[in-house]
């Protein structure tokens, strides 16, 4: 994706998240100087396998596993400082040195314990199936202009004054929501004392850092979290996360202008999964779903929840190409389909007897659509050692060609296993 004309590339999930962005970011980070996370928070779980070691990163950009990469947590992220430092310490324990190459935007908003209590209490009223990490309430506070930012947390005196008021407000809300839980001001003050010291040296104007890197001719990789169908504007609202997961969110969440972005890579699984509630038109049932889940190891990296599984939904990916402006696709987990005799692909929908080839805005309509399937022959062979397209069985190549035609964007990468080297560059 990087070349002389492309020095700022965004990687986004083009389905409902968990497409394997962590692996693609890890592969592309090898060519990048700076890697930026720009939205979401500890709700994400990016799994990267390096040799015989597996890393699950929630808030730190997956680029951290490359010794040369500068990693940035952008202003669009909601930072949970407690779990962020736990993750950092764990990386340190595994010998990953981050000194001098990890920065956090001082404009990023902070997830506090009361946000998590509010998230859990809200779920009792509206069952979205959130990760319970306080994401929604923190973004609500940001938009409501009562958030606490990293810059505030760095000034312990300011933070203390803010927290007294915020904790009181949160407790009133918890009562309103019928929750018996209450946030403790002491716990919040203790957290500020403990973490502001660690935050201060990392906090900076990261938008300026990224801008300067681009002006100096460096390569910047923007790492999205979740997927397009979980975008608060373009996803299956209200069954979405609370940030803009689509590529437009990258400019805002990293603090640069949209004209800086040269390319957008959309990561898609060779089939479809979703965790949490909401419509999933091509969801498989019974044995087929369990088989996809077992073969693909489809359990949430953050919550451990079993993912709902189904066939590739081309309508969703076509939509994703449109709302993200995708310039390329990376198809992951092709190997999971190796043993299927036949592989259905959802090519469009039928809605009340009419053909429908786009994702309807109304979630109730999307609940009602019936996918129109085309069945492609399986290949019945392992693809895990393929390193070039020519190494793939002809049926697997035909499957990829069909996905590309239906989606309307060129396939640039195909991943055939969890390891770094199990990738085909097209
Ligand atoms: P929240 O982001 O925790 O508020 O959860 C809102 C919805 O987004 C729920 O359906 C979650 O399961 C889903 N979600 C959030 N983060 C991820 C992710 O990283 N992968 C997949 N689904 C996610």
């Amino acid at each position: 994706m990087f070349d002389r004309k492309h020095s700022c590339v965004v990687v986004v999930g083009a389905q409902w998240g968990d497409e394997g962005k962590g692996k693609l970011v890890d592969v592309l980070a090898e060519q990048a100087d700076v890697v930026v996370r720009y939205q979401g928070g500890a709700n994400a779980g990016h799994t990267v396998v390096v040799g015989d070691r597996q890393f699950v990163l929630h808030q730190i950009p997956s680029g951290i596993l490359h010794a040369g990469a500068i990693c940035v947590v952008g202003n669009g992220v909601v930072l949970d400082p407690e779990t962020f430092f736990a993750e950092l310490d764990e990386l340190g324990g595994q010998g990953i040195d981050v000194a001098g190459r990890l920065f956090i935007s001082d404009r990023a908003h902070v997830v506090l314990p009361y946000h998590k209590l509010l998230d859990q209490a809200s779920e009792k009223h509206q069952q979205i199936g959130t990760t319970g990490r306080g994401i929604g309430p923190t973004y609500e506070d940001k938009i409501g202009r009562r958030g606490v930012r990293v810059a505030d947390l760095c000034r312990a005196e300011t933070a203390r004054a803010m927290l007294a008021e915020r904790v009181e407000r949160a407790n009133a809300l918890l009562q309103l929501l019928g929750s018996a839980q209450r946030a403790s001001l002491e716990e919040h003050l203790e957290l500020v004392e403990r973490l502001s010291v660690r935050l201060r040296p990392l906090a900076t104007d990261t938008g300026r850092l990224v801008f300067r890197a681009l002006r100096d001719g460096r390569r910047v990789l923007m790492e999205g979290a979740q997927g397009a169908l979980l975008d608060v504007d373009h996803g299956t609202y209200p069954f979405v996360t609370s940030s803009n997961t689509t590529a437009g969110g990258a400019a805002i969440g990293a603090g640069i202008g949209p004209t800086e972005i040269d390319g957008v890579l959309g990561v898609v699984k060779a089939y479809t999964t979703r965790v949490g509630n909401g419509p999933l038109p091509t969801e498989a049932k019974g044995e087929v779903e369990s088989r996809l889940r077992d073969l693909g190891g489809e359990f949430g990296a953050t919550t451990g929840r079993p993912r709902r599984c189904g066939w590739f939904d081309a309508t969703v990916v076509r939509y994703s190409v449109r709302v993200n402006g995708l310039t390329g696709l990376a198809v992951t987990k092709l190997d999971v389909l190796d043993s299927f005799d036949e592989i259905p692909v959802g090519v469009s929908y039928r809605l009340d007897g009419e053909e429908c080839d786009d994702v309807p805005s109304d979630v109730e309509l999307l609940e009602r659509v019936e996918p129109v399937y085309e069945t492609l022959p399986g290949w019945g062979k392992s693809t895990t050692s393929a390193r070039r397209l020519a190494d793939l069985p002809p049926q697997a190549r035909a499957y990829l060609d069909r996905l590309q035609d239906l989606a309307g964007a060129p396939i640039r990468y195909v991943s055939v296993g969890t390891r770094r080297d199990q990738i085909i560059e097209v």
Side-chain angles (χ1 to χ4, degrees):
M1 289 295 285
F2 286 111
D3 55 39
R4 283 173 54 150
K5 282 213 220 107
H6 298 87
S7 53
C8 183
V9 171
V10 183
V11 175
V12 290
Q15 295 158 320
W16 275 277
D18 308 317
E19 298 91 350
K21 294 176 291 295
K23 166 156 180 189
L24 261 297
V25 170
D26 181 57
V27 167
L28 287 167
E30 198 164 19
Q31 307 158 35
D33 301 298
V34 182
V35 182
V36 189
R37 256 293 296 274
Y38 57 85
Q39 46 72 228
N43 49 351
H46 292 167
T47 308
V48 185
V49 179
V50 182
D52 53 7
R53 290 192 298 171
Q54 174 167 308
F55 298 85
V56 182
L57 297 160
H58 298 282
Q59 296 187 89
I60 297 176
S62 313
I64 203 76
L65 303 174
H66 289 274
I70 289 181
C71 289
V72 170
V73 176
N75 58 275
V77 169
V78 286
L79 181 87
D80 180 339
E82 188 97 73
T83 58
F84 176 86
F85 286 115
E87 198 170 318
L88 195 58
D89 293 342
E90 211 177 302
L91 281 177
Q94 301 213 47
I96 308 290
D97 184 13
V98 304
R101 62 185 190 97
L102 179 62
F103 300 93
I104 300 174
S105 168
D106 50 9
R107 289 181 166 89
H109 281 247
V110 179
V111 181
L112 290 160
Y114 63 77
H115 291 121
K116 294 180 208 169
L117 294 179
L118 285 168
D119 193 359
Q120 286 145 25
S122 305
E123 269 294 296
K124 300 217 168 77
H125 295 264
Q126 193 189 21
Q127 276 131 29
I128 302 295
T130 73
T131 58
R133 299 296 193 270
I135 305 298
T138 309
Y139 279 117
E140 276 178 49
D141 279 356
K142 171 176 174 172
I143 302 301
R145 294 165 295 192
R146 54 177 173 270
V148 178
R149 305 201 297 176
V150 166
D152 302 318
L153 217 59
C154 287
R155 285 179 284 124
E157 198 55 43
T158 314
R160 273 196 289 272
M162 286 176 112
L163 284 176
E165 196 263 322
R166 305 297 196 274
V167 167
E168 195 182 323
R169 186 178 184 280
N171 283 337
L173 268 177
L174 285 166
Q175 184 167 19
L176 200 69
L177 289 166
S179 166
Q181 292 201 285
R182 294 292 175 268
S184 142
L185 180 58
E186 286 68 41
E187 184 198 345
H188 282 78
L189 294 177
E190 184 275 324
L191 185 139
V192 172
E193 292 307 328
R194 197 160 35 88
L195 298 179
S196 62
V197 192
R198 294 193 77 183
L199 265 179
R200 248 175 258 139
L202 305 181
T204 186
D205 182 344
T206 50
R208 194 164 75 156
L209 185 156
V210 177
F211 180 80
R212 288 213 170 136
L214 286 167
R215 285 296 171 273
D216 289 346
R218 292 177 199 269
R219 291 172 162 183
V220 175
L221 181 63
M222 311 260 228
E223 174 178 356
Q226 292 88 42
L229 277 291
L230 288 173
D231 185 285
V232 68
D233 283 274
H234 304 294
T236 49
Y237 192 90
F239 300 101
V240 292
T241 190
S242 300
S243 63
N244 284 116
T245 59
T246 45
I252 292 175
I256 55 166
T259 47
E260 304 288 346
I261 297 170
D262 306 303
V264 185
L265 181 72
V267 186
V268 293
K269 262 180 204 167
Y271 49 100
T272 308
T273 64
R274 167 167 207 168
V275 60
N277 303 333
L280 182 60
T282 58
E283 186 164 17
K285 297 275 180 256
E287 220 177 281
V288 172
E289 184 181 33
S290 323
R291 193 165 156 207
L292 280 170
R293 184 182 296 130
D294 291 344
L295 288 169
E298 298 295 352
F299 297 89
T302 299
T303 58
R305 290 180 288 178
R307 295 179 185 141
R308 298 156 64 194
C309 301
W311 301 114
F312 188 85
D313 185 338
T315 314
V316 157
V317 178
R318 227 169 14 243
Y319 174 74
S320 214
V321 168
R322 170 162 73 83
V323 295
N324 283 296
L326 299 184
T327 56
L329 291 173
V331 179
T332 61
K333 295 192 145 185
L334 183 70
D335 55 300
V336 171
L337 301 179
D338 284 352
S339 64
F340 285 87
D341 295 333
E342 291 186 324
I343 308 170
V345 173
V347 294
S348 66
Y349 302 141
R350 284 193 85 72
L351 177 61
D352 302 333
E354 305 267 314
E355 179 92 9
C356 166
D357 66 355
D358 211 343
V359 175
S361 315
D362 185 342
V363 83
E364 280 185 24
L365 297 182
L366 190 60
E367 285 283 9
R368 286 219 319 264
V369 299
E370 289 167 32
V372 176
Y373 288 107
E374 192 176 289
T375 301
L376 280 86
W379 40 94
K381 269 195 199 100
S382 170
T383 54
T384 53
S385 51
R387 297 294 175 269
R388 296 169 307 145
L389 271 187
D391 299 336
L392 289 174
Q395 298 91 328
R397 291 207 301 273
Y399 183 74
L400 292 171
D401 285 345
R402 189 66 183 129
L403 299 196
Q404 173 169 278
D405 284 350
L406 289 165
I411 294 177
R412 306 291 306 271
Y413 297 91
V414 181
S415 169
V416 289
T418 51
R419 288 199 325 262
R420 248 180 198 172
D421 66 313
Q422 290 179 304
I423 192 110
I424 298 171
E425 198 172 337
V426 180

